[in-house]
Amino acid sequence: MTARGAEKPAGRRAGTAPQQAQPTSRREILDVAARCLRQRGYRATTLRDIAAMVGIKAGSVYYHFASKEEIVAAVMNDGVDNVFDAVTGALAALPAGATPRQRLEAAISAHLNALLAFSDYTSAGLKAFADAPEAVRQSAKPHRRRYEAVWMTLIEELAQAGATPPGVSAETLQLALLGMMNWSPEWYRPGRHSIERLAREFTSLFLRAS
Amino acid sequence: MTARGAEKPAGRRAGTAPQQAQPTSRREILDVAARCLRQRGYRATTLRDIAAMVGIKAGSVYYHFASKEEIVAAVMNDGVDNVFDAVTGALAALPAGATPRQRLEAAISAHLNALLAFSDYTSAGLKAFADAPEAVRQSAKPHRRRYEAVWMTLIEELAQAGATPPGVSAETLQLALLGMMNWSPEWYRPGRHSIERLAREFTSLFLRAS
DNA sequence: GTCTATATGAAGATAGAC
DNA sequence: GTCTATCTTCATATAGAC
């Protein structure tokens, strides 16, 4: 899995020079598309916009991709794989004897960071999914299922350790937790909220007093 | 505040008769627009679609409304006022000595019912808000603030009664709770989930063992 | 690889007849 | 109140020159 993220394309254009000479890469187009999709959603993101931001004309995009749907599907799927890597990586990096609280907080923190700070791809995928054509949504399904399984496994592990609140099913726990996090782009403001603090507080909600 | 909801327009067209004779009302157009906006979002909802579903031609819509934005703003604002009425009504209907759990569960239940079952307006407003033009979003602000204040008040009341989990600020509590609920249209399926059960389980997450 | 030019099809909105 | 007809704009996508 290669690098995917919110980083700007390599500094090909020196300073403010508006013209370019180097050829455009697929990744460069995807980076710009992810940023657009995140900000504006599926319908409001146009190939003209993307092309202009990359420094080429709209027609030239079709040298790299067969359709808008192909671009959106690539962004969405990279986005899900992105959080998947972030969350599984964070869990794997914990010491063997980590507490339920440490594991849940690490996973929540990784998810929030991908969504709110690191990856235009991840937030673009969330925002564009509902409006994307059926074919795009279908192609995203396996990626999403794989990611959801990570959370289901984690929650069941916590439940078996007796760490989750009583009277709430694992399924509801998962839906509530992901919903709480996935809605956060609607209200999160970088200067106003601290991701680490949010992760800590969100974690408290899903563990019985510990 | 007049009736607003997901009810189909009055049975003007007998049975399956495709044609109509009676004049179209503003409310009828808004009902159809709300349904469209809920299903397809702002950009994918066209005046042509709305007109066709109401039984008139696209141009005729402009007899009733000055623009698409005016329609969307009306739907969104009615939608917020809708949940506001539902939640404040549910709280007011409780007996004086209701417990924190009863009050929170009543509010959550009212919100979920508006969002998932009763009101196309409410869910349309949530779905279309992010993509709507700035002018529409601005007009929604006072309605949204008034509604959010209801939750802030309720949560602070619960916090003072010592019913909320320790170590989580009232602001985070509110953002987490509304996010959890507002994301539910993404996964809720009428046959598969029970709104009353969800309300009960969601409530448990936000109250310390009681 | 990128360009220009263009085909094709909507969309929102308006004018004026009925 | 609703229609038809149309203006204008902007979208995805294609063809072929450079």
Side-chain angles (χ1 to χ4, degrees), chain B residues 15 19 21 34 37 39 41 66 74 82 98 107 111 113 134-135 148 154 159 167 172 180 197 206:
Chain B
Q19 297 302 348
L37 287 166
Q39 289 167 353
N82 244 8
H111 183 99
N113 269 295
E134 184 58 23
E148 283 161 13
L154 176 59
T172 299
M180 189 181 74
R197 181 174 167 213
F206 286 79

Side-chain angles (χ1 to χ4, degrees), chain A residues 61-139:
Chain A
V61 172
Y62 288 87
Y63 175 80
H64 302 276
F65 295 92
S67 66
K68 179 180 177 179
E69 293 194 16
E70 189 184 310
I71 297 176
V72 176
V75 167
M76 277 187 24
N77 295 338
D78 279 4
V80 181
D81 293 349
N82 244 9
V83 238
F84 178 91
D85 291 351
V87 170
T88 55
L91 287 173
L94 289 174
T99 63
R101 163 168 285 273
Q102 284 172 325
R103 288 180 62 75
L104 181 58
E105 186 171 334
I108 288 177
S109 175
H111 184 98
L112 287 181
N113 269 296
L115 201 56
L116 302 174
F118 289 157
S119 174
D120 285 331
Y121 288 79
T122 300
S123 39
L126 270 196
K127 165 135 185 156
F129 181 77
D131 296 331
E134 183 57 26
V136 176
R137 287 211 301 278
Q138 282 303 326
S139 91

Side-chain angles (χ1 to χ4, degrees), chain B residues 70-141:
Chain B
E70 189 183 311
I71 296 176
V72 175
V75 167
M76 277 188 24
N77 295 338
D78 279 4
V80 182
D81 294 348
N82 244 8
V83 238
F84 178 90
D85 291 349
V87 171
T88 55
L91 287 173
L94 289 174
T99 64
R101 163 167 286 272
Q102 285 171 325
R103 288 180 61 75
L104 182 57
E105 187 171 333
I108 289 178
S109 176
H111 183 99
L112 287 180
N113 269 295
L115 203 56
L116 302 173
F118 289 157
S119 174
D120 285 333
Y121 288 79
T122 300
S123 40
L126 271 195
K127 166 135 185 158
F129 181 77
D131 295 332
E134 184 58 23
V136 176
R137 286 210 300 279
Q138 282 303 325
S139 91
K141 265 202 179 147

Side-chain angles (χ1 to χ4, degrees), chain A residues 183-204:
Chain A
W183 189 256
S184 66
E186 296 277 330
W187 50 260
Y188 174 76
R189 297 292 171 269
R192 180 150 162 46
H193 303 98
S194 147
I195 293 179
E196 285 318 305
R197 183 176 164 211
L198 289 170
R200 215 177 321 116
E201 296 187 299
F202 282 2
T203 302
S204 294

Side-chain angles (χ1 to χ4, degrees), chain B residues 40-53:
Chain B
R40 308 209 251 280
Y42 178 76
R43 310 288 285 221
T45 295
T46 72
L47 294 177
R48 287 175 159 78
D49 287 344
I50 295 171
M53 290 174 69

